[in-house]
Amino acid sequence: MYLVDGIENLVYNNSRNYWKGAFTMNKTWNLDPIYKGFDDPAFDADMAALKNKVDEISAFAAQLPDLSAIEGLTRGIALQEQFAELVGKLANYASLRQAANTRDPEAGSRMGQVMQLYSGVAAPMAAWKDWASKLPELQEIVVNDGNLRDYSFFFKNLAESSQYLLPGMGEEIMARMELSGGSAWSDLQQYLTSTVPVSYDGGTTNLSSIRNLAYDADPAVRKAAYEAEIACYDRIKDSVAFALNSIKLETISDCQLRGYASPLERTLKHSDMKRETLDAMLAAMDEYSPKFWQYLKAKGKALGHENGLPWYDLFAPMGASSTKFTAEDSREYLVNLFAEFDSELSQMVATAYDNAWIDFYPRDGKAGGAFCAGVECLGESRILTNFDGMFTDVVTLAHELGHAFHNQCIRNHRPLNRDYSMPLAETASTFNECVVMASAIGKAADKAEKIALIESQLQDATQIICDIYSRFRFEKMVFENRGQMFMNADQLCQFMLEAQKQSYGDGLEHNCLHPYMWVCKSHYYGPTFYNFPYAFGGLFARGLYAQYEREGAAFVPKYKKLLYTTPIATAEDVAQVADIDLTDKAFWRGALQTIADQIDLFCQLVETP
């Protein structure tokens, strides 16, 4: 199913204004090409069609014992394709409306209606999967049929995962209970974090805006913003703690019922990724962790801190990085830059800006962070960001546009082959970041600018290594304890501090960490272990970019083929497109060494007068 990434504008303006040849760019995304509103007759028609499709799938499942193998497989695929396109379109619209304005009650209500219908196919589809997995010579049938052959990987996974299906009505019961369970708790976390008032500088602001001040050039502003952020969590911490406890207990129960050894095993199987690959990556990260601590201490010392870097200076800009970007500036910068790499990517970036794919600026009620959602009914994407004009915001846009390009590269696949796994989801996005940062650093005019750019990239690298490792460790602790105890907000804060101390070592000042990261990060309230995929994507992309530097233009077709392959192969087989062995720690060491070299250069620059 191809749904909105991160399930994780009150005005949608589709106007384009031209005056003397000038183009005025929309600052909010346009959803009108999907539906004009919830009162659009097309929305009601598709809801009715979705309900009919649920009934049709249920009737089909009841007929399975009387169908031939080829008829049952062919009709099952056709029905799922039709259902996927309908539910994807409806869910896209409702979830995007909700992300743009979490106070929109109709968006939440409509999303609930869609998901209620979605849950209605859980039992009949589980019956079809069970039936299909037990067919003798299933793979031979699929390979020899022209209509089914495209779904060879799909059926391979179906056969392997059938052992985890719940019998009878089990799948439908779990799907329906999830609507008022994990999904509802996730909505609560998003609502509370997007609407909590933050007292700052004599007024009130929102969490997204206050977190953006972590990048401010004034150290007093950064510290005051950090203190205001920490203080605001006291208003919502208990409610969010209930949400986290409930979601994780639901996951534990689901794994026990299905027969998974652990939530991590479930995530790896859903990710089409071997445990050996994860272990190789984490082992390499452990080896290189002290290098990242070296960077943090060097930055801390440069900013006047002797005992490691305090959390409020983690994103402090260094060097000459005062350039501010408008949304229009970011368009020109990225379109021109990506044209040097690939014209197809550059054209897609221009289209995203010009056709109102992007919702740029923070506002009260808007979801925090950034994401990209594939809108397959349009053959487009939509991007939410909280743009503040810093260079880091331009890098964030490049990252999300990488997701959009990934969506474009897989669009020619059939509907059930457009869903790549979590680890591979960050490949194109982080590769885009590498393109942007390599160019910016290479064109740096002086030492101060070079420091600013290298340090900005090291900030991001430290996030995908140290911070992601802390999130992984935190989630492991939560799962290890949730089966025996309810963890209140104070206990969760202690787990977070412990995870941060392990992951950041002596690079951060231990008396000034961030105990409430479990409150503000939506990743804990969505897919299980949605943390290590960021480290995977970041390091995998860096390894790919190093290959691009060696091969030049000849690498680009290989890169696009690799992205195209992501929904129809395991992580290890996708990497083989670029002749990479993911289970070999040497690959991960090589990717980490490219960051270690930058750390050495950074330390040299800040320590040399």
Side-chain angles (χ1 to χ4, degrees):
M1 196 63 57
Y2 203 86
L3 300 182
V4 172
D5 179 23
I7 290 185
E8 170 155 173
N9 330 357
L10 297 174
V11 179
Y12 302 105
N13 183 2
N14 193 29
S15 64
R16 298 176 184 176
N17 300 312
Y18 294 86
W19 181 71
K20 294 184 177 178
F23 175 70
T24 301
M25 191 173 68
N26 288 347
K27 305 304 189 298
T28 58
W29 56 26
N30 178 28
L31 304 184
D32 283 356
I34 310 175
Y35 300 109
K36 304 296 184 186
F38 290 119
D39 57 354
D40 187 337
F43 185 90
D44 290 335
D46 283 345
M47 286 291 289
L50 183 61
K51 184 179 184 304
N52 290 337
K53 194 59 60 179
V54 172
D55 294 339
E56 188 178 350
I57 289 172
S58 296
F60 161 75
Q63 299 167 4
L64 283 171
D66 301 323
L67 300 179
S68 67
I70 193 67
E71 184 180 5
L73 293 175
T74 301
R75 285 183 59 191
I77 285 294
L79 287 169
Q80 286 185 80
E81 288 182 332
Q82 295 157 13
F83 181 81
E85 293 185 329
L86 269 173
V87 79
K89 181 179 181 181
L90 290 160
N92 268 148
Y93 185 73
S95 60
L96 291 171
R97 281 280 299 264
Q98 190 171 33
N101 177 19
T102 60
R103 289 193 172 93
D104 181 351
E106 188 172 13
S109 175
R110 292 292 196 167
M111 188 65 186
Q113 293 170 14
V114 173
M115 298 315 293
Q116 280 279 3
L117 290 171
Y118 176 75
S119 67
V121 302
M125 277 297 97
W128 178 81
K129 290 176 183 178
D130 182 62
W131 172 85
S133 69
K134 293 175 180 175
L135 289 173
E137 302 177 337
L138 171 63
Q139 292 303 318
E140 183 178 346
I141 295 172
V142 170
V143 170
N144 291 327
D145 184 86
N147 183 54
L148 298 175
R149 193 177 302 125
D150 291 339
Y151 285 118
S152 295
F153 184 69
F154 174 92
F155 280 108
K156 175 178 175 292
N157 275 348
L158 182 150
E160 293 175 354
S161 63
S162 62
Q163 63 180 302
Y164 302 109
L165 291 172
L166 299 175
M169 292 293 293
E171 291 295 332
E172 182 170 348
I173 291 170
M174 291 295 287
R176 290 188 182 278
M177 292 299 291
E178 197 271 340
L179 297 177
S180 58
S183 180
W185 288 115
S186 178
D187 288 345
L188 176 66
Q189 183 270 344
Q190 184 182 72
Y191 175 78
L192 290 173
T193 53
S194 64
T195 59
V196 62
V198 184
S199 299
Y200 174 73
D201 196 26
T204 301
T205 186
N206 57 67
L207 192 53
S208 292
S209 294
I210 204 71
R211 283 177 60 78
N212 275 343
L213 293 179
Y215 300 90
D216 197 271
D218 187 339
V221 170
R222 295 194 300 270
K223 185 176 181 181
Y226 163 81
E227 291 170 348
E229 180 193 351
I230 295 296
C232 87
Y233 292 122
D234 191 60
R235 298 172 180 257
I236 61 174
K237 65 180 183 181
D238 293 330
S239 298
V240 180
F242 268 89
L244 186 64
N245 275 272
S246 300
I247 287 172
K248 299 312 179 190
L249 186 58
E250 180 182 285
T251 298
I252 291 170
S253 299
D254 181 82
C255 290
Q256 291 173 343
L257 288 169
R258 295 178 184 280
Y260 291 105
S262 68
L264 180 58
E265 183 197 37
R266 189 185 76 170
T267 299
L268 288 168
K269 287 187 179 297
H270 288 182
S271 299
D272 296 313
M273 174 177 162
K274 294 178 180 178
R275 180 63 188 260
E276 293 88 338
T277 294
L278 177 63
D279 289 343
M281 182 184 75
L282 293 177
M285 287 166 59
D286 280 325
E287 287 183 15
Y288 275 82
S289 287
K291 200 69 183 177
F292 288 85
W293 305 344
Q294 178 188 346
Y295 149 68
L296 292 167
K297 287 186 286 187
K299 178 173 182 176
K301 188 174 181 180
L303 294 174
H305 307 293
E306 295 298 328
N307 299 313
L309 191 66
W311 190 277
Y312 57 79
D313 274 349
L314 194 55
F315 303 107
M318 297 186 68
S321 58
S322 58
T323 302
K324 295 282 286 187
F325 287 78
T326 64
E328 289 81 2
D329 292 336
S330 69
R331 179 197 185 282
E332 181 179 6
Y333 182 89
L334 292 175
V335 168
N336 292 337
L337 175 60
F338 287 127
E340 300 173 12
F341 172 72
D342 178 60
S343 59
E344 183 183 359
L345 171 58
S346 176
Q347 181 56 54
M348 188 221 69
V349 171
T351 299
Y353 276 88
D354 299 347
N355 290 3
W357 292 10
I358 308 171
D359 192 313
F360 285 93
Y361 296 108
R363 61 182 176 274
D364 185 42
K366 178 180 173 180
F371 68 76
C372 173
V375 184
E376 293 310 300
C377 63
L378 303 179
E380 300 177 353
S381 294
R382 289 296 182 270
I383 291 168
L384 178 142
T385 184
N386 282 274
F387 188 82
D388 200 38
M390 303 300 292
F391 182 68
T392 52
D393 296 311
V394 178
V395 177
T396 296
L397 278 166
H399 178 104
E400 301 305 336
L401 287 162
H403 285 303
F405 186 63
H406 197 165
N407 294 341
Q408 180 167 301
C409 286
I410 65 172
R411 195 149 281 139
N412 288 335
H413 282 300
R414 289 174 64 180
L416 304 184
N417 280 344
R418 295 179 191 155
D419 192 6
Y420 40 77
S421 66
M422 287 195 299
L424 295 170
E426 297 302 321
T427 304
S429 55
T430 309
F431 190 91
N432 268 14
E433 290 186 38
C434 292
V435 172
V436 171
M437 294 307 302
S439 173
I441 291 171
K443 296 176 181 177
D446 54 34
K447 177 181 175 180
E449 185 179 1
K450 189 177 289 288
I451 288 175
L453 293 169
I454 292 174
E455 202 281 319
S456 175
Q457 191 166 35
L458 291 177
Q459 280 184 32
D460 294 337
T462 302
Q463 285 293 291
I464 66 165
I465 302 302
C466 297
D467 193 61
I468 287 302
Y469 214 160
S470 74
R471 298 190 209 179
F472 178 77
R473 286 173 163 137
F474 171 81
E475 193 157 6
K476 280 190 67 180
M477 284 188 272
V478 168
F479 277 123
E480 288 166 0
N481 286 273
R482 181 61 187 103
Q484 294 76 42
M485 61 181 287
F486 177 91
M487 297 159 290
N488 61 28
D490 290 340
Q491 180 65 71
L492 291 169
C493 285
Q494 286 303 311
F495 284 167
M496 182 56 73
L497 291 174
E498 182 180 341
Q500 288 173 355
K501 289 173 183 177
Q502 292 176 21
S503 303
Y504 285 97
D506 61 355
L508 292 186
E509 182 185 329
H510 284 191
N511 292 326
C512 189
L513 297 173
H514 197 311
Y516 290 108
M517 287 297 284
W518 60 271
V519 178
C520 68
K521 287 296 179 184
S522 61
H523 302 76
Y524 297 118
Y525 305 87
T528 302
F529 283 104
Y530 195 14
N531 35 59
F532 73 79
Y534 282 91
F536 180 105
L539 294 176
F540 186 44
R542 280 166 173 78
L544 290 173
Y545 188 77
Q547 195 169 339
Y548 165 61
E549 289 186 312
R550 294 191 299 270
E551 298 178 10
F555 172 79
V556 177
K558 185 189 300 183
Y559 173 67
K560 291 181 182 179
K561 181 181 178 182
L562 183 148
L563 294 180
Y564 175 82
T565 307
T566 53
I568 56 171
T570 66
E572 291 76 20
D573 287 344
V574 168
Q576 282 296 327
V577 173
D579 302 314
I580 293 169
D581 180 1
L582 295 178
T583 65
D584 186 351
K585 190 163 61 173
F587 168 74
W588 303 106
R589 284 172 170 160
L592 283 158
Q593 187 58 47
T594 64
I595 307 172
D597 292 341
Q598 286 190 317
I599 291 174
D600 287 338
L601 177 57
F602 171 78
C603 292
Q604 177 185 341
L605 288 170
V606 297
E607 292 168 4
T608 303

